[in-house]
Amino acid sequence: MEPLAVSQQETEDPAFDPLSPGEEDPTEGEYLPSEDTSNPHEDSSSPSECVTSNLEAPPAIYPLPSDSFKTIIDHIEFLYQEYRDKSTQHEIQTRRLQDNYVRSAETSNNSQSTPLGSPPPVENQRANSTLSRFKSSCSGFNLWQDLPDVRKSDVLTLLQPEEVKLQEAMFELLTSEASYYKSLRLVVSHFMDSERLRATLHQSEIHFIFSNVLEVLATSERFLLALEQRFEENIVISDVCDIVHDHAVKHFGVYITYVCNQTYQERAYRTLLQERPEFRDAVGHLEMDPVCRGLPFSSFLILPFQRITRLKLLVQNILTKVEEGSEREMTALQAHRELEKLVRSCNDGVRKMSRTEQLISIEKTLEFKIKSVPIISHSRWLMKQGELQQMSGPRTSRTLRTKKLFRPVYLFLFNDLLLLCKPLTGERYQVFDVATRGLLRVEELEDQGQTLANVFILKLLENAHEREFTYMLKATSQSEMKRWMTSLVPNRRTKFVSMSAKLLDCPQVQCVHPYVSQEPDELTLDLADILNVLDKTEDGWVFGERLHDQEKGWFPRTVVEEIMNPNIRTQNLKECFRVHKPEEGSQNKDRRKMGSRTRQ
């Protein structure tokens, strides 16, 4: 499972323009391979020359000649895995170039003012040239504006640059779906239909490995045909998000079935590789075929979940480019919300099975010194577990010199419950205290010397004996201490503010190396994820909040790099607030809740 990144760089509000007034931004919108790459010299006119200024009214009808769409699809060379890797690398590099360009432009503007009408400084020209070359070399697919039928028409002279960028974003959704469909067909035709592979599997194992991939393939084909029909109506695409919403509601439920089977799929695949040599040899033989482009079988099996999450982000990208208050914004918001529901259902389905198994395993290791507490519950899951040192005895100078100042204590923290245990032999634990998670408070001890370094106070407002009790706990490092404090009391104030505060600047980073979480309080990161930094430690860990889904967690500092320019950070947040704009009913509900709390 992996969360994916979304482009969060542009804004149409001049107040957030990182360049000087009247200066054209060569980097605007270069975050996905086939979007926002209008050539300022050839492909778009200046605003004064454009005839059409309303994003809601594309100029004329330009029906696509027969077989043109098939030609476009046939020329897509990338498998979906290749497209996705290239796309995310493009986002990372473009943000780097834009960040450097804007900072160099601001430095130049601060050092000297350029007379109106003068050419930009050499440094800015060089950055512009670099971005243009990078743009042309990194496109994963043909751009919409480079299609022969578009170039033959006069449509590029009629459209505003903003509409061209929107066309590119919608066109990428279409071409990436075609790439995904191409990869799915390989799953069926090359792997599933392989007689050699099927001969190594029982019927039940075939179901575990391939699940309902035939239904997923049929769903993708149906969706692609609907996009094709829309594109053939007019080469200037009117909208795609209405199609996305319709298919998400009516057909995309098959993704939930496939993704929820992932736990069984991974387990069966791993077992077969380890225990059945003929299966391993058959898979290896199929992977060597040139049609797989050197990609492993496992990368094909995870395609459906990657696609449904990426589709949400492509719609999110379109949403940042449509005119605010327009009909296309409404359809994009509807499609985005429906896809968010699907992604959430997929995540919940996968987690539910693994969480239940984990609770059963934990319960078998526990014995209670106090009144026992039932552990297994459908609404409970493990947040964090591990050993700390509990300070014993009064805090006196004599006590500090003794070797038994600290004794081991093992914590199991669930989303609603904390268990404090004494470690026993054989990976067993004796529970001696328990508290509801909502009745926990933490406090850091500062400047207490080496002996009390990384010590924090854990207060149980009501423990197993229905009274308040305080523990002093010592972690092995600053990061471990902060991670425990954040997990125990998730709403405590962090060094930096959360997105919910809606401030227009906050430390931000982007992921440059993928990271898979190793513990429940960590966050799995995908390339190009953008995160607000909420806290960080001196020993190299960061607590962040991902912009596109507001998921929070810890990750190593080495897998991200900071976004230095405040204007770019502001643009990212502004786009995120727009994408996650609440529905009117939700706003009224929130106001009623706030009013109720005020009266209390």
Side-chain angles (χ1 to χ4, degrees), residues 245-284:
H245 178 262
D246 182 61
H247 282 251
V249 171
K250 296 178 181 178
H251 308 298
F252 286 177
V254 298
Y255 282 96
I256 300 175
T257 304
Y258 186 93
V259 174
C260 288
N261 182 61
Q262 185 173 350
T263 301
Y264 300 107
Q265 183 189 70
E266 291 177 347
R267 188 178 300 163
Y269 182 65
R270 187 166 53 248
T271 301
L272 287 167
L273 283 178
Q274 293 172 351
E275 300 179 0
R276 199 168 297 175
E278 59 271 28
F279 173 81
R280 184 170 60 248
D281 293 342
V283 168

Side-chain angles (χ1 to χ4, degrees), residues 116-399:
L116 187 64
S118 300
V122 174
E123 293 83 358
N124 293 3
Q125 294 180 16
R126 188 179 300 117
N128 189 355
S129 174
T130 302
L131 284 162
S132 298
R133 289 197 303 273
F134 179 76
K135 173 173 60 181
S136 62
S137 65
C138 284
S139 294
F141 302 114
N142 289 330
L143 301 176
W144 173 83
Q145 61 190 292
D146 289 336
L147 296 176
D149 295 306
V150 173
R151 290 206 171 272
K152 289 175 187 175
S153 70
D154 61 348
V155 66
L156 290 175
T157 65
L158 301 176
L159 293 179
Q160 289 276 15
E162 291 78 8
E163 177 65 31
V164 174
K165 294 169 188 173
L166 177 57
Q167 292 294 314
E168 298 291 5
M170 292 191 289
F171 187 64
E172 187 192 5
L173 189 147
L174 186 154
T175 51
S176 63
E177 184 66 28
S179 174
Y180 167 65
Y181 177 69
K182 178 179 180 180
S183 295
L184 272 185
R185 286 180 61 183
L186 272 181
V187 176
V188 175
S189 63
H190 186 63
F191 291 101
M192 187 176 181
D193 291 345
S194 166
E195 293 184 4
R196 178 176 176 179
L197 184 63
R198 293 180 74 92
T200 69
L201 299 171
H202 304 302
Q203 191 61 40
S204 61
E205 292 169 336
I206 293 175
H207 174 71
F208 283 144
I209 296 296
F210 294 101
S211 189
N212 62 329
V213 69
L214 291 175
E215 293 179 345
V216 175
L217 178 64
T219 298
S220 176
E221 182 175 8
R222 186 187 298 112
F223 181 47
L224 188 59
L225 287 172
L227 294 172
E228 174 187 354
Q229 183 177 358
R230 176 64 56 83
F231 189 56
E232 288 179 342
E233 291 172 359
N234 192 349
I235 202 167
V236 181
I237 308 169
S238 59
D239 198 2
V240 294
C241 291
D242 57 332
I243 298 175
V244 174
H245 178 262
D246 182 61
H247 282 251
V249 171
K250 296 178 181 178
H251 308 298
F252 286 177
V254 298
Y255 282 96
I256 300 175
T257 304
Y258 186 93
V259 174
C260 288
N261 182 61
Q262 185 173 350
T263 301
Y264 300 107
Q265 183 189 70
E266 291 177 347
R267 188 178 300 163
Y269 182 65
R270 187 166 53 248
T271 301
L272 287 167
L273 283 178
Q274 293 172 351
E275 300 179 0
R276 199 168 297 175
E278 59 271 28
F279 173 81
R280 184 170 60 248
D281 293 342
V283 168
H285 175 75
L286 292 170
E287 289 175 339
M288 292 295 291
D289 193 295
V291 298
C292 292
R293 310 284 284 267
L295 295 166
F297 180 34
S298 57
S299 74
F300 288 89
L301 292 177
I302 63 173
L303 284 172
F305 182 76
Q306 288 183 335
R307 181 54 184 171
I308 199 66
T309 51
R310 187 68 178 179
L311 190 58
K312 185 195 81 166
L313 301 174
L314 291 172
V315 169
Q316 191 168 313
N317 184 48
I318 293 170
L319 179 53
T320 64
K321 293 171 175 55
V322 295
E323 189 178 55
E324 292 197 49
S326 65
E327 183 178 347
R328 288 197 287 196
E329 183 189 46
M330 182 182 70
T331 59
L333 282 169
Q334 290 173 341
H336 185 263
R337 287 167 185 153
E338 200 62 39
L339 290 170
E340 277 195 320
K341 292 178 186 176
L342 282 168
V343 172
R344 196 177 304 117
S345 296
C346 289
N347 282 324
D348 290 345
V350 171
R351 291 168 179 163
K352 184 177 181 180
M353 179 58 64
S354 60
R355 284 171 174 174
T356 302
E357 292 178 348
Q358 190 175 40
L359 290 177
I360 294 172
S361 176
I362 290 173
E363 189 175 56
K364 292 177 179 178
T365 68
L366 302 178
E367 60 181 60
F368 285 82
K369 185 177 180 180
I370 56 175
K371 183 180 178 181
S372 63
V373 177
I375 300 301
I376 300 173
S377 169
H378 290 300
S379 60
R380 178 174 294 151
W381 62 89
L382 183 70
M383 301 290 295
K384 190 171 179 62
Q385 70 180 88
E387 184 175 299
L388 296 171
Q389 298 296 314
Q390 178 191 352
M391 182 176 178
S392 58
R395 289 175 58 190
T396 65
S397 57
R398 180 179 179 183
T399 306

Side-chain angles (χ1 to χ4, degrees), residues 303-515:
L303 284 172
F305 182 76
Q306 288 183 335
R307 181 54 184 171
I308 199 66
T309 51
R310 187 68 178 179
L311 190 58
K312 185 195 81 166
L313 301 174
L314 291 172
V315 169
Q316 191 168 313
N317 184 48
I318 293 170
L319 179 53
T320 64
K321 293 171 175 55
V322 295
E323 189 178 55
E324 292 197 49
S326 65
E327 183 178 347
R328 288 197 287 196
E329 183 189 46
M330 182 182 70
T331 59
L333 282 169
Q334 290 173 341
H336 185 263
R337 287 167 185 153
E338 200 62 39
L339 290 170
E340 277 195 320
K341 292 178 186 176
L342 282 168
V343 172
R344 196 177 304 117
S345 296
C346 289
N347 282 324
D348 290 345
V350 171
R351 291 168 179 163
K352 184 177 181 180
M353 179 58 64
S354 60
R355 284 171 174 174
T356 302
E357 292 178 348
Q358 190 175 40
L359 290 177
I360 294 172
S361 176
I362 290 173
E363 189 175 56
K364 292 177 179 178
T365 68
L366 302 178
E367 60 181 60
F368 285 82
K369 185 177 180 180
I370 56 175
K371 183 180 178 181
S372 63
V373 177
I375 300 301
I376 300 173
S377 169
H378 290 300
S379 60
R380 178 174 294 151
W381 62 89
L382 183 70
M383 301 290 295
K384 190 171 179 62
Q385 70 180 88
E387 184 175 299
L388 296 171
Q389 298 296 314
Q390 178 191 352
M391 182 176 178
S392 58
R395 289 175 58 190
T396 65
S397 57
R398 180 179 179 183
T399 306
L400 292 176
R401 296 191 194 101
T402 65
K403 294 182 179 181
K404 295 184 179 180
L405 172 61
F406 296 103
R407 64 180 183 185
V409 57
Y410 201 92
L411 274 60
F412 288 97
L413 178 65
F414 304 97
N415 61 306
D416 61 344
L417 189 70
L418 171 68
L419 303 181
L420 292 99
C421 311
K422 176 184 176 181
L424 304 176
T425 57
E427 294 188 359
R428 294 191 59 81
Y429 307 93
Q430 183 185 67
V431 182
F432 62 83
D433 210 348
V434 62
T436 303
R437 190 181 181 210
L439 297 179
L440 303 177
R441 300 293 183 268
V442 293
E443 179 184 344
E444 182 178 353
L445 290 181
E446 298 181 356
D447 301 325
Q448 297 295 325
Q450 184 63 34
T451 305
L452 296 181
N454 306 318
V455 172
F456 66 97
I457 296 173
L458 171 63
K459 181 180 290 187
L460 280 56
L461 299 183
E462 183 177 308
N463 71 350
H465 305 290
E466 299 183 352
R467 61 188 177 90
E468 184 176 304
F469 199 85
T470 299
Y471 294 92
M472 291 185 65
L473 302 175
K474 181 180 177 66
T476 57
S477 64
Q478 185 195 44
S479 60
E480 185 186 31
M481 178 188 70
K482 285 201 170 189
R483 286 172 64 167
W484 268 111
M485 293 176 69
T486 302
S487 297
L488 288 163
V489 184
N491 295 324
R492 64 184 290 269
R493 185 176 180 84
T494 53
K495 186 173 182 179
F496 305 105
V497 297
S498 171
M499 266 186 55
S500 58
K502 293 200 171 182
L503 297 182
L504 289 180
D505 195 16
C506 175
Q508 280 179 11
V509 293
Q510 72 165 335
C511 175
V512 294
H513 302 290
Y515 179 72

